[in-house]
Amino acid sequence: MPNIEFNPVTPGQRHYVRNRQELSNKRPERRLTKSKHNPKGRNTYGRITSRRRGGGHKRLYRQIDFRRDKLDIPATIRAIEYDPNRSAHLALLYYADGEKRYILAPNKLKVGDKVVSSNRAEGEFHPGYNYPLSEIPPATRVHCVELQPGKGACIARGAGAGAQLVAVEGDRATLKMPSGEIRLVHSRCRATIGQV
């Protein structure tokens, strides 16, 4: 995967390097998208209340599986796709039973790789695998971490983000956030191995 370095036209681009991952150029899955209304600065009466808003490219919202509640069914990565609504790329999963879902694509995940969500880790800790924090060994980088069991991923969802699991003691897991903050969450909360 080559990296793209930009000519620094603005100060924010001085050290900006973009990872040119082999992205699919196909249309997004129709059943996993819905329209996203852009109010363009207008209120419920259609009158402009915030000036100089509007324009931009039309976007479809991709519905992402943040719960990963389809347990013990292996899935294959069919495509890595661009998402205009977030900084991270998406991975399109084809499950063995025929269902399709989007997840946030972890680093070093390629088309054709297998991923699985389970409550029991059997020694496999590859990027994209999803387990409760109690099953993940300490010092592992994780992303898409839940704050409450079953609620869905809330922590470390942006591109390049990844929390580090420091320790699991009883029903509490200690996480070191991307900001450096130490946080306690329940050990039954699920997390995905790897970095976004």
Side-chain angles (χ1 to χ4, degrees):
M1 285 180 266
N3 289 334
I4 300 174
E5 293 184 7
F6 287 85
N7 183 24
V9 180
T10 62
Q13 291 179 343
R14 192 167 309 284
H15 303 290
Y16 179 53
V17 177
R18 194 169 75 202
N19 188 350
R20 179 71 189 274
Q21 201 169 16
E22 285 73 32
L23 297 179
S24 171
N25 56 4
K26 72 176 196 64
R27 298 263 314 159
E29 282 296 319
R30 190 177 187 129
R31 288 176 184 246
L32 299 176
T33 57
K34 62 182 180 182
S35 64
K36 183 180 178 187
H37 173 63
N38 180 13
K40 299 184 279 282
R42 287 163 166 78
N43 64 6
T44 54
Y45 301 109
R47 298 184 187 123
I48 292 180
T49 53
S50 286
R51 296 184 297 167
R52 301 179 183 88
R53 301 271 176 103
H57 205 286
K58 196 171 186 178
R59 302 175 181 183
L60 282 174
Y61 180 75
R62 281 83 167 159
Q63 295 169 329
I64 299 172
D65 180 19
F66 286 120
R67 291 183 193 273
R68 298 292 294 271
D69 52 1
K70 207 166 174 66
L71 301 177
D72 299 318
I73 300 174
T76 308
I77 307 295
R78 281 295 172 93
I80 307 287
E81 297 182 15
Y82 172 77
D83 187 2
N85 303 299
R86 63 191 74 245
S87 57
H89 295 318
L90 301 182
L92 178 62
L93 302 185
Y94 276 37
Y95 281 93
D97 61 359
E99 191 176 347
K100 300 175 189 176
R101 289 189 183 181
Y102 278 123
I103 62 166
L104 296 184
N107 208 4
K108 300 179 182 169
L109 193 72
K110 299 183 296 298
V111 175
D113 288 354
K114 301 266 189 211
V115 295
V116 73
S117 297
S118 179
N119 285 332
R120 286 263 154 240
E122 283 144 18
E124 298 208 26
F125 299 103
H126 303 298
Y129 280 53
N130 186 278
Y131 299 119
L133 289 170
S134 58
E135 299 291 317
I136 300 173
T140 305
R141 300 282 289 181
V142 292
H143 67 278
C144 287
V145 185
E146 293 179 327
L147 276 176
Q148 296 168 6
K151 185 183 177 188
C154 299
I155 300 173
R157 300 190 334 188
Q164 187 174 20
L165 180 63
V166 178
V168 178
E169 297 165 1
D171 62 344
R172 293 277 170 235
T174 308
L175 287 172
K176 186 175 183 185
M177 304 305 225
S179 64
E181 175 193 354
I182 302 294
R183 192 156 196 169
L184 289 176
V185 294
H186 201 284
S187 61
R188 282 194 291 114
C189 291
R190 304 186 70 83
T192 306
I193 309 287
Q195 187 173 340
V196 184

